[in-house]
Amino acid sequence: MNSGPAVASVSPRRELGAYEALWLEKGATFKTLAERFAADPSALPSDFVSDAVADARASEVSAKLAKAGVSRFGTRLNLTGNYPAKLRDARHPVEMLYFQGTWELTEMRCVAVVGNREATAEGLRRAAKVSRALVEKGFTVVSGLAAGIDAAAHSAAIEAGGRTIAVIGTPIGVYYPKENEKLQRRIAEEFLLISQVPVLRYAAQHVPQNKLFFPERNVTMSALTEGTVIVEAGETSGTLTQARAALQQGRKLFILDSCFERSDVTWPAVYAKKGAIRVRDISDIWSALGDGATASED
């Protein structure tokens, strides 16, 4: 095989089906699949799956998405055009993503704003304030469309006339939490919704196993962005998965000062020692990233 990007004609539908088929293999995880592709960097999913199986799985996916009301979506596949090279910074990078909306938003300067699902009123206020400030500077606000901080970050960005990207922990066409369905539909239609969750694997297993897709999406969310702002998080919050990923990927990690002032958590000090930036004032973010979306463009 060639060592460079795929140059032969690639069937997005067949690759989708092949990738979904790989996820149905026993023991498949982001780690095992990443290791499989790392061993053959020029391989496509269809190199590991027969055409008949790939086509059959693609038909199953199309049927499930149609039943869920998804009529339009796209995919991004590693080694083909428009797959963001920055996603390869993840420890176990995904080979394929589903999306709805404007993919070009991934090419703009992006910052993630994340935090607890069980957010405090003050946390929601801070999330909205940070999102508005990012919008004013021209950044695209990225979050995970969870309840609490995530939803507040997305909503504030939209209300401020900015752009937002949601990286969800379910397949497209699945709405979790249910109360965010309207927001998810709007982001998919007007901005960008991304999912790395395999449709067939998700449908084939139960809730406890599917919960594991949520922290994995935080890793991808970090890789898509220049930095992550943590608004508030508990000691065992899934948000800390993204904190670890940001530092591992060489991204900026910002922690609001209010997190350090809490007596019930120790993680802020731990991550500060590892290189996280304590945000006492919003200008601390601009000092690390540059003053706005045009500041560091060539």
Side-chain angles (χ1 to χ4, degrees):
M1 291 185 178
N2 296 327
S3 59
V7 292
S9 177
V10 173
S11 166
R13 177 182 170 82
R14 179 163 291 169
E15 298 304 334
L16 178 162
Y19 190 63
E20 289 274 353
L22 292 175
W23 264 104
L24 290 176
E25 294 180 355
K26 186 177 180 179
T29 64
F30 286 109
K31 181 177 185 291
T32 63
L33 290 183
E35 290 172 345
R36 191 168 186 173
F37 284 96
D40 188 352
S42 62
L44 293 170
S46 60
D47 291 319
F48 302 113
V49 178
S50 72
D51 290 351
V53 169
D55 292 344
R57 295 292 179 254
S59 294
E60 292 176 36
V61 170
S62 295
K64 284 191 177 296
L65 291 180
K67 186 176 180 179
V70 176
S71 58
R72 297 180 64 183
F73 68 92
T75 59
R76 286 292 178 260
L77 179 71
N78 186 32
L79 301 183
T80 60
N82 297 321
Y83 179 97
K86 54 192 173 183
L87 287 185
R88 308 315 290 177
D89 292 339
R91 188 182 298 275
H92 306 303
V94 296
E95 293 299 306
M96 196 193 80
L97 299 163
Y98 289 93
F99 75 94
Q100 292 177 287
T102 306
W103 184 257
E104 288 72 22
L105 291 185
T106 63
E107 300 169 7
M108 298 181 177
R109 299 191 71 190
C110 300
V111 173
V113 180
V114 296
N116 275 352
R117 287 178 167 84
E118 301 293 331
T120 65
E122 188 61 24
L124 296 176
R125 186 191 68 79
R126 290 188 179 110
K129 182 178 180 180
V130 169
S131 287
R132 287 193 296 269
L134 288 166
V135 166
E136 289 173 4
K137 293 291 187 180
F139 290 96
T140 296
V141 174
V142 182
S143 199
L145 203 60
I149 298 299
D150 290 14
H154 289 302
S155 298
I158 294 171
E159 291 165 5
R163 305 175 300 268
T164 192
I165 298 172
V167 185
I168 59 175
T170 64
I172 55 175
V174 175
Y175 302 95
Y176 181 85
K178 192 65 177 177
E179 61 263 28
N180 281 352
E181 179 174 352
K182 183 177 179 181
L183 179 59
Q184 180 170 326
R185 288 183 181 277
R186 183 173 183 185
I187 291 173
E189 292 171 2
E190 300 179 22
F191 302 99
L192 178 61
L193 183 80
I194 296 174
S195 172
Q196 64 187 37
V197 180
V199 174
L200 301 182
R201 173 67 174 271
Y202 187 91
Q205 63 186 20
H206 300 295
V207 171
Q209 289 76 39
N210 282 334
K211 284 182 178 179
L212 299 177
F213 286 120
F214 285 90
E216 294 288 354
R217 71 82 145 78
N218 285 89
V219 177
T220 295
M221 198 194 313
S222 172
L224 277 171
T225 61
E226 292 183 42
T228 290
V229 181
I230 298 180
V231 176
E232 63 179 14
E235 201 75 347
T236 59
S237 172
T239 298
L240 301 187
T241 298
Q242 188 154 336
R244 291 189 291 272
L247 294 177
Q248 183 267 321
Q249 295 162 1
R251 306 300 194 256
K252 302 293 185 183
L253 177 60
F254 302 99
I255 303 173
L256 296 195
D257 190 51
S258 52
C259 295
F260 290 87
E261 296 173 348
R262 291 175 55 177
S263 60
D264 60 331
V265 294
T266 60
W267 66 263
V270 172
Y271 283 94
K273 290 180 180 178
K274 295 180 179 180
I277 299 168
R278 183 171 182 168
V279 180
R280 293 181 171 87
D281 185 85
I282 197 71
S283 62
D284 294 331
I285 296 178
W286 315 143
S287 295
L289 295 179
D291 190 16
T294 60
S296 62
E297 292 179 350
D298 292 334

